[in-house]
Amino acid sequence: MEQAKVNIKQRLAYNYLRDDVTKFICYGGAGGGGKSWLGCEWLMQCCYYLPGTRWFAGRNNLKDSRQSISVTFEKVAKWYGFAGYKHTTEGVRFDNGSEIIFLDLTYYPVKDPMYERLGSKEYTGGWIEEAGQVHFLAFEVLKTRIGRHLNDVYHVPGKILITCNPKKNWLYRDFYKPWKEGKLREPYAFIQALVQDNPFATDDYIDSLRNTNDRVTKERLYFGNWEYENDPSALCDYDAVCDLFTNEHVKPAGESSGSADLAMKGRDRFVAGHWKGNVCFIKIDQEYSEGKVIETELRKMMIECSIPRSRMVADSDGLGAYLESYLNGIKEFHGGSRPVNPEFDNLKSECAFKLAELINNRLIRIVCTELQKERIIEELSVLKQAHVDADTRKKGIISKDKMKETLGHSPDYLDMLIMAMVFRIKPVLKRPKAKLGKI
């Protein structure tokens, strides 16, 4: 058998994978660091030395799990001259009864928003590959499914190996940033692995990363730069978005107001927030509702939260007009109408830029559930300026259709937050031009 094909960063990863305290190991941060090799090699060893155990290997979709992971698995097996396994429709089956199950970690917000399909599974441990493409909730659910199959027999803790390239999402928030600040604590661990750390990376691959003309690719995949801002059109700073939920210096004070993004059966979500000053409490969150239910729920929220009708805003795509006839005096939001300040292309853009301003200055706090938090973070990532390179155009944001295309669903929480800014925008006061006096 060949000698182990392990670089120094992979050895460090193995220290965490074999200890008794670390449960979640994030490895990567650039291209060519040996991520896929490490994942396949670790699972192969676990299955070989722990007969009858069950492990998972998951990516953002099942096709990638089957094809990409299988290719690397074959390379690892060939290197070690190992043949005691066979591929099955579910993954890889070992001659000693161990198995690796390939998982589809795609997020299905309508048919499986809570990853219930993973809830009945029991695993010894597992691996999330290309985790930057995987929803945070998949990781949260899988954390509850490990350590449940023969771990007590072999006296091994359940562990999840997470491999990834730089991505400003839950990986940045929960692993990279705390690691960089020296605040990452057990049972979490992070290892920054670059292509330069991998002596087995080919010169051609290293040159392709080094010489790429795309700055984003080079910063992320060659230098492993997590901080690189790859989208100049993004209106909100990612760290500021994460701080939205912990800005405890923002107190619930002042007049109450409310904002609601409406949805009837089959149309997005019905989301409403109660604002006390600049603190937003998510009060209503339903997949769909009948018109009468929307009216009843909003009326109830307004009474319980002491929201005057003149301080309640709802979208005007037909439902808002319907509501206004029953909740007389509420404010209809017409996003395409004239802005207060002429530098913007319409009212919605003006409110969106105001929202970004308050977020970036840490002047808003949102009180919500963890699942709502993840979706709000996701939706704020598509709040982008349109025509960012055009100096002569009025300021605007990308269309809702583009947002939907990126998210795979409607940005309902974002719309609710944007509408609330209608009570916070003010006209720009222009100083009168000084008159020239007589000499």
Side-chain angles (χ1 to χ4, degrees):
M1 182 178 288
E2 294 277 0
Q3 63 179 0
K5 187 178 180 180
V6 181
N7 65 50
I8 189 170
K9 291 296 180 70
Q10 290 169 330
R11 290 185 185 280
L12 178 58
Y14 271 118
N15 290 341
Y16 289 121
L17 290 167
R18 291 168 177 163
D19 69 20
D20 293 326
V21 293
T22 312
K23 295 189 69 175
F24 314 114
I25 303 96
C26 183
Y27 179 92
K35 302 184 294 295
S36 298
W37 187 280
L38 172 66
C40 289
E41 183 183 68
W42 175 60
L43 290 185
M44 187 178 293
Q45 290 181 7
C46 291
C47 288
Y48 179 77
Y49 290 110
L50 304 173
T53 51
R54 182 185 300 122
W55 307 77
F56 70 80
R59 290 188 55 158
N60 188 48
N61 62 69
L62 191 57
K63 181 180 179 181
D64 285 348
S65 295
R66 285 174 174 162
Q67 294 183 352
S68 179
I69 294 176
S70 293
V71 169
T72 305
F73 190 91
E74 289 296 321
K75 291 179 181 178
V76 175
K78 183 177 180 180
W79 175 271
Y80 288 108
F82 177 66
Y85 68 93
K86 63 180 179 180
H87 291 281
T88 68
T89 55
E90 289 192 321
V92 181
R93 179 81 179 182
F94 287 70
D95 294 347
N96 65 2
S98 294
E99 59 184 337
I100 301 171
I101 307 298
F102 291 157
L103 296 183
D104 172 17
L105 300 183
T106 306
Y107 182 53
Y108 299 109
V110 177
K111 69 178 183 179
D112 189 17
M114 300 298 293
Y115 281 95
E116 293 181 73
R117 65 187 185 275
L118 303 178
S120 61
K121 310 295 183 182
E122 294 185 349
Y123 301 102
T124 315
W127 169 35
I128 300 176
E129 165 74 318
E130 295 292 353
Q133 302 171 8
V134 174
H135 197 279
F136 170 76
L137 193 57
F139 173 52
E140 286 295 293
V141 173
L142 286 171
K143 284 162 66 174
T144 69
R145 311 318 304 165
I146 60 170
R148 303 169 67 96
H149 188 76
L150 299 184
N151 297 75
D152 55 342
V153 173
Y154 290 110
H155 306 289
V156 294
K159 295 185 181 251
I160 297 179
L161 173 65
I162 303 156
T163 56
C164 63
N165 292 321
K167 185 69 176 289
K168 275 199 170 180
N169 59 4
W170 58 275
L171 296 165
Y172 175 90
R173 184 186 68 239
D174 294 349
F175 286 94
Y176 176 77
K177 187 180 180 184
W179 170 78
K180 184 182 178 184
E181 296 174 348
K183 299 177 181 177
L184 190 62
R185 298 290 180 264
E186 298 170 350
Y188 291 78
F190 175 80
I191 301 166
Q192 176 86 317
L194 308 178
V195 68
Q196 298 91 329
D197 299 320
N198 186 4
F200 305 102
T202 65
D203 292 338
D204 285 345
Y205 181 69
I206 295 174
D207 287 340
S208 69
L209 292 179
R210 183 193 297 119
N211 298 323
T212 180
N213 292 322
D214 183 70
R215 290 186 303 166
V216 174
T217 300
K218 189 170 185 177
E219 288 289 337
R220 290 180 62 250
L221 301 187
Y222 183 70
F223 293 112
N225 188 351
W226 289 71
E227 306 292 348
Y228 189 74
E229 297 295 340
N230 57 7
D231 191 348
S233 66
L235 292 185
C236 296
D237 175 76
Y238 185 80
D239 286 345
V241 170
C242 293
D243 288 340
L244 270 174
F245 313 92
T246 55
N247 284 332
E248 295 180 357
H249 60 279
V250 182
K251 304 299 182 182
E255 189 176 8
S256 285
S257 62
S259 56
D261 186 60
L262 310 178
M264 294 182 71
K265 189 171 182 179
R267 298 179 60 245
D268 311 324
R269 299 184 75 83
F270 170 30
V271 179
H274 165 221
W275 293 77
K276 189 68 174 175
N278 279 346
V279 179
C280 177
F281 301 87
I282 306 296
K283 290 293 186 179
I284 301 174
D285 187 354
Q286 302 173 6
E287 283 196 28
Y288 63 81
S289 299
E290 302 292 344
K292 186 63 179 177
V293 173
I294 291 176
E295 175 198 338
T296 303
E297 291 293 319
L298 273 185
R299 187 189 300 273
K300 179 181 176 182
M301 183 186 83
M302 292 166 65
I303 293 172
E304 291 179 351
C305 300
S306 301
I307 302 172
R309 293 199 178 185
S310 62
R311 300 284 293 178
M312 182 71 218
V313 60
D315 55 300
S316 62
D317 63 351
L319 288 176
Y322 156 82
L323 268 182
E324 204 279 332
S325 64
Y326 289 92
L327 298 175
N328 186 262
I330 69 169
K331 189 176 185 66
E332 294 180 53
F333 187 82
H334 299 273
S337 63
R338 181 181 300 176
V340 174
N341 299 315
E343 63 180 298
F344 300 98
D345 59 9
N346 56 42
L347 180 62
K348 184 173 183 178
S349 292
E350 182 175 11
C351 288
F353 273 79
K354 185 64 177 180
L355 174 65
E357 174 193 326
L358 295 180
I359 290 174
N360 293 335
N361 288 312
R362 274 73 170 182
L363 296 177
I364 289 180
R365 177 158 62 100
I366 299 176
V367 180
C368 62
T369 67
E370 280 296 312
L371 184 57
Q372 290 167 338
K373 169 184 170 180
E374 289 303 316
R375 182 146 168 174
I376 290 169
I377 292 174
E378 178 190 29
E379 291 186 10
L380 282 167
S381 72
V382 299
L383 182 55
K384 299 180 181 182
Q385 182 174 353
H387 317 298
V388 69
D389 296 322
D391 295 333
T392 58
R393 297 285 292 267
K394 291 186 176 183
K395 292 182 181 179
I397 60 174
I398 64 173
S399 69
K400 190 169 183 177
D401 286 341
K402 286 185 178 180
M403 293 181 181
K404 286 183 177 180
E405 184 179 345
T406 301
L407 295 170
H409 57 78
S410 179
D412 306 306
Y413 297 90
L414 175 59
D415 284 343
M416 182 272 295
L417 295 171
I418 288 175
M419 282 185 280
M421 297 300 108
V422 76
F423 301 120
R424 292 161 176 80
I425 55 175
K426 298 178 181 179
V428 176
L429 297 177
K430 295 183 179 180
R431 294 182 178 179
K433 294 181 179 180
K435 296 183 179 179
L436 295 176
K438 294 182 179 180
I439 297 177

